[in-house]
Amino acid sequence: EVVLTQSPATLSLSPGERATLSCRASQSISSSLGWYQQKPGQAPRLLIYDASNRATGIPARFSGSGSGTDFTLTISSLEPEDFAIYYCQQRSNLPRTFGQGTKVEIK
Amino acid sequence: EVQLVESGGGLVQPGGSLRLSCAASGFTFSSYYMTWVRQTPGKGLEWVASIKQDGSEKYYVDSVKGRFTISRDNAKNSLYLQMNSLRAEDTAVYYCAKGSGSFDIWGQGTLVTVSS
């Protein structure tokens, strides 16, 4: 099973600041990684698929990069609605697995 | 509007059974793999099972193999999860999601609580 480790667990930032979230896989997964955003009481929402492709309707301030075992989600300038929990997920192997999440909170 | 709506959750005793349903609309349901994902405060998000477009291939996480069965009815645009021999650790919010690799559409979730 591919284990995904996200860091940091919590990121405290102010609106307008840049957020950089990390996801590390326990083995190479090529570019088979997605990022999701989840707000309280809501289902996750797909932001990025295949490491760097924005999903439909996702603003350009969200970008993804990486391949192999190290991946990054960057939010270039935080908007108030971006404060949420972010999860990475790999689709390289079964079982599909998720990271434990990074909470982006208002500083 | 593309939409997935789950139903069927509730309180069930350990060892009991429950059947979850997911109604799809706004897209060609029969053209896509479909998946169940669950979420608990302790274990986070966990992929549970996926099913191929025609139902010919099904995949499960080890912890539910032999107890859960994923199925679909393309004529009814519906996805199902039959859950038997339920355990306390199956307590979670269960989401249906479109896709098998990346999940681009999710339902709102249905809560399953396994407790005596």
Side-chain angles (χ1 to χ4, degrees):
Chain A
E1 172 175 315
V2 177
V3 176
L4 298 177
T5 303
Q6 292 187 240
S7 61
T10 304
L11 200 51
S12 299
L13 296 168
S14 300
E17 290 194 294
R18 183 184 189 89
T20 303
L21 290 66
S22 175
C23 178
R24 176 164 289 178
S26 59
Q27 65 189 72
S28 178
I29 56 171
S30 186
S31 297
S32 301
L33 188 102
W35 290 93
Y36 298 82
Q37 176 194 68
Q38 188 176 33
K39 298 179 182 179
Q42 296 184 18
R45 177 175 70 142
L46 179 67
L47 300 175
I48 302 288
Y49 64 94
D50 292 346
S52 60
N53 299 286
R54 274 190 301 277
T56 302
I58 302 304
R61 64 180 182 273
F62 292 93
S63 64
S65 63
S67 66
T69 60
D70 291 301
F71 301 86
T72 301
L73 174 69
T74 302
I75 311 171
S76 59
S77 178
L78 283 164
E79 296 288 338
E81 61 269 27
D82 298 337
F83 292 92
I85 300 175
Y86 293 83
Y87 296 95
C88 57
Q89 176 249 322
Q90 64 83 22
R91 69 171 190 86
S92 176
N93 297 345
L94 289 175
R96 308 300 191 216
T97 50
F98 292 83
Q100 81 283 11
T102 290
K103 182 179 182 180
V104 178
E105 64 176 23
I106 299 177
K107 186 173 182 181
Chain B
E1 180 190 5
V2 177
Q3 197 173 9
L4 295 170
V5 179
E6 301 95 337
S7 60
L11 174 64
V12 60
Q13 291 188 338
S17 297
L18 213 55
R19 188 195 196 208
L20 305 183
S21 299
C22 172
S25 60
F27 65 98
T28 306
F29 178 75
S30 58
S31 296
Y32 295 93
Y33 264 87
M34 294 295 294
T35 293
W36 288 97
V37 176
R38 64 187 179 184
Q39 185 171 31
T40 63
K43 289 194 68 177
L45 289 163
E46 182 180 39
W47 170 82
V48 174
S50 294
I51 184 169
K52 195 176 180 180
Q53 290 90 329
D54 62 359
S56 61
E57 296 178 18
K58 305 176 184 182
Y59 305 94
Y60 300 91
V61 68
D62 282 351
S63 60
V64 309
K65 281 179 183 175
R67 300 188 300 123
F68 289 13
T69 302
I70 188 172
S71 62
R72 66 192 296 163
D73 185 336
N74 288 339
K76 294 183 177 179
N77 290 335
S78 292
L79 176 72
Y80 306 100
L81 187 67
Q82 177 66 44
M83 304 186 295
N84 298 331
S85 303
L86 281 160
R87 306 167 180 167
E89 55 265 35
D90 296 319
T91 294
V93 175
Y94 285 74
Y95 295 100
C96 66
K98 172 175 162 282
S100 69
S102 297
F103 311 118
D104 60 346
I105 304 295
W106 295 63
Q108 85 288 353
T110 187
L111 175 63
V112 172
T113 303
V114 184
S115 175
S116 55

